[in-house]
Amino acid sequence: MAEPPESPSEQNSGDKNSSRGDRSRQGAANARLVMIMAVIGALLVFTVAALLNWPSAENPPPGVAQQPTTTAPPPDFEAPAGTCLNWTQDDASDISEVPCSEPHLFEMTGTTEVWARFGPDAEFPSTEVFNEIKTKRCADVARQYLPNGLDPNGRFEVSAFLPSKQSWSDGDRTLHCALQQPGPVGQLYRFTGKVDSLDQSDIYDVGTCLGISGSAVFSPVECSKPHSVEMTGVADLSQKFEDGHPATEKQDEFLLTTCQEQLADYAGGKNVAEDKGLSLYWDNISKESWQVGSRKVNCKVAATLDDGGFAPVTGSVTGEISISDQPAPEKTPQPGVPADGQR
């Protein structure tokens, strides 16, 4: 049947808007950060399909070393909508069903057929084509599965189990769609509970630091290690806006004050971050995210560069920090690989 999960596209909605004190500098920083995350998102969309097949000795997933002892799941394996799955191995060879009340990596949302696009004699699609159809078709399945819809910029995104080359040649055209929670560069983070009962806002716990690769964001690390961004607060826009989706300018007015207050409490003083060379910024909530119910964003600090990237920061803003004038070493993303712990 089908084979292991493709990795997340990260969509991680990520770092979209910054505040530098005056409004003109804030707007310029916002534009640069949007560009950074667009590039990261494009990379993830390209790489996510690399780990989509159930592993077997005859057909190991791309990028994973062949494991002779790995076997494919039994032919009668089923994971209907609402099933939650977990695994610990990078190649998902130990995948199993778990209660959704326990930490898990996948929540199945249903199936969709692609016969209309691929007839009985169609060649096995490329990674790019599979990713394209997965993104569209499984997003449609997720919207039907979730009572209030899927936040397109939220912390969850669609993935799928795809047919293997063998099952494709036998006529299998079924995508088994799922929801997953990726980090900034595609590692999968476990979540507890079903998505329809969880806040889809794309936020991290206060005190989380995101790693750095070159001048771009990477997976979370300890703040004592070089990093790109430190989360200094969580702002809830529902405290200010009770009606329809607020314009970005209105959000910024509220978030400027709220994030400054939270940063002062977190760092131990009003000007502590600025004096250490760090800039305060935040995310905004899109209309589509608002309609799904997302209301929270992170307040963050970083040492931003003129070209829109990040300088490596070592140490938390709550204590001593150092900012490097050299880019961090480049790291290789591992989309689809289970991360340690939960977001």
Side-chain angles (χ1 to χ4, degrees):
M1 179 205 119
E3 300 191 312
E6 93 169 292
S7 142
S9 63
E10 212 203 323
Q11 62 31 0
N12 182 321
S13 62
D15 306 310
K16 297 185 181 77
N17 298 280
S18 72
S19 167
R20 304 231 184 163
D22 73 51
R23 308 300 291 179
S24 61
R25 292 179 66 196
Q26 175 187 326
N30 288 352
R32 290 197 297 270
L33 288 165
V34 168
M35 292 175 65
I36 296 169
M37 297 317 295
V39 171
I40 293 172
L43 170 64
L44 291 169
V45 165
F46 178 80
T47 59
V48 336
L51 298 177
L52 283 177
N53 291 326
W54 287 98
S56 66
E58 297 75 24
N59 184 29
V64 177
Q66 182 170 332
Q67 300 292 331
T69 58
T70 301
T71 58
D76 60 351
F77 176 86
E78 292 291 342
T83 301
C84 292
L85 304 176
N86 190 47
W87 60 94
T88 61
Q89 300 301 311
D90 290 355
D91 63 0
S93 57
D94 61 340
I95 195 167
S96 64
E97 180 178 347
V98 298
C100 295
S101 58
E102 296 181 3
H104 55 274
L105 294 170
F106 258 31
E107 179 180 340
M108 306 307 295
T109 57
T111 61
T112 182
E113 301 287 337
V114 294
W115 273 107
R117 180 165 177 177
F118 301 100
D121 299 323
E123 293 185 0
F124 191 73
S126 66
T127 293
E128 293 85 349
V129 171
F130 255 145
N131 192 55
E132 173 196 340
I133 60 175
K134 179 274 305 182
T135 299
K136 182 181 186 304
R137 299 298 294 273
C138 287
D140 292 340
V141 172
R143 283 190 285 269
Q144 297 173 14
Y145 173 77
L146 296 173
N148 297 314
L150 177 66
D151 182 348
N153 307 301
R155 65 187 179 109
F156 300 104
E157 65 179 31
V158 298
S159 190
F161 294 126
L162 306 180
S164 67
K165 287 186 177 181
Q166 180 59 53
S167 64
W168 182 272
S169 66
D170 292 339
D172 184 3
R173 297 293 186 272
T174 303
L175 305 187
H176 296 261
C177 300
L179 293 170
Q180 62 185 11
Q181 179 182 226
V185 291
Q187 280 189 304
L188 298 185
Y189 285 81
R190 293 176 176 82
F191 58 99
T192 302
K194 290 198 170 185
V195 172
D196 66 358
S197 66
L198 301 175
D199 187 343
Q200 295 187 42
S201 301
D202 188 23
I203 57 174
Y204 289 85
D205 290 342
V206 175
T208 299
C209 287
L210 300 183
I212 188 167
S213 174
S215 60
V217 295
F218 207 75
S219 300
V221 296
E222 295 180 2
C223 294
S224 59
K225 298 180 179 180
H227 59 269
S228 57
V229 178
E230 182 174 359
M231 307 300 171
T232 59
V234 175
D236 186 346
L237 277 77
S238 66
Q239 295 178 349
K240 173 68 174 179
F241 306 102
E242 298 179 354
D243 300 323
H245 174 250
T248 299
E249 293 76 11
K250 293 294 184 181
Q251 294 185 42
D252 286 342
E253 290 176 5
F254 169 72
L255 291 170
L256 176 61
T257 300
T258 301
C259 286
Q260 285 178 336
E261 292 174 349
Q262 292 192 11
L263 175 57
D265 290 342
Y266 178 79
K270 182 177 180 180
N271 299 316
V272 170
E274 183 179 357
D275 291 344
K276 293 179 179 180
L278 300 177
S279 300
L280 170 67
Y281 71 103
W282 51 79
D283 299 332
N284 288 112
I285 295 180
S286 69
K287 185 175 183 179
E288 293 79 9
S289 298
W290 189 270
Q291 290 172 337
V292 172
S294 295
R295 298 291 187 273
K296 297 177 181 179
V297 300
N298 275 124
C299 304
K300 328 175 190 189
V301 292
T304 56
L305 303 174
D306 290 340
D307 64 0
F310 297 99
V313 178
T314 302
S316 170
V317 69
T318 61
E320 296 295 324
I321 71 165
S322 63
I323 301 174
S324 176
D325 59 1
Q326 298 296 318
E330 298 281 350
K331 300 178 181 178
T332 302
Q334 293 183 294
V337 172
D340 293 332
Q342 302 184 56
R343 278 184 53 173

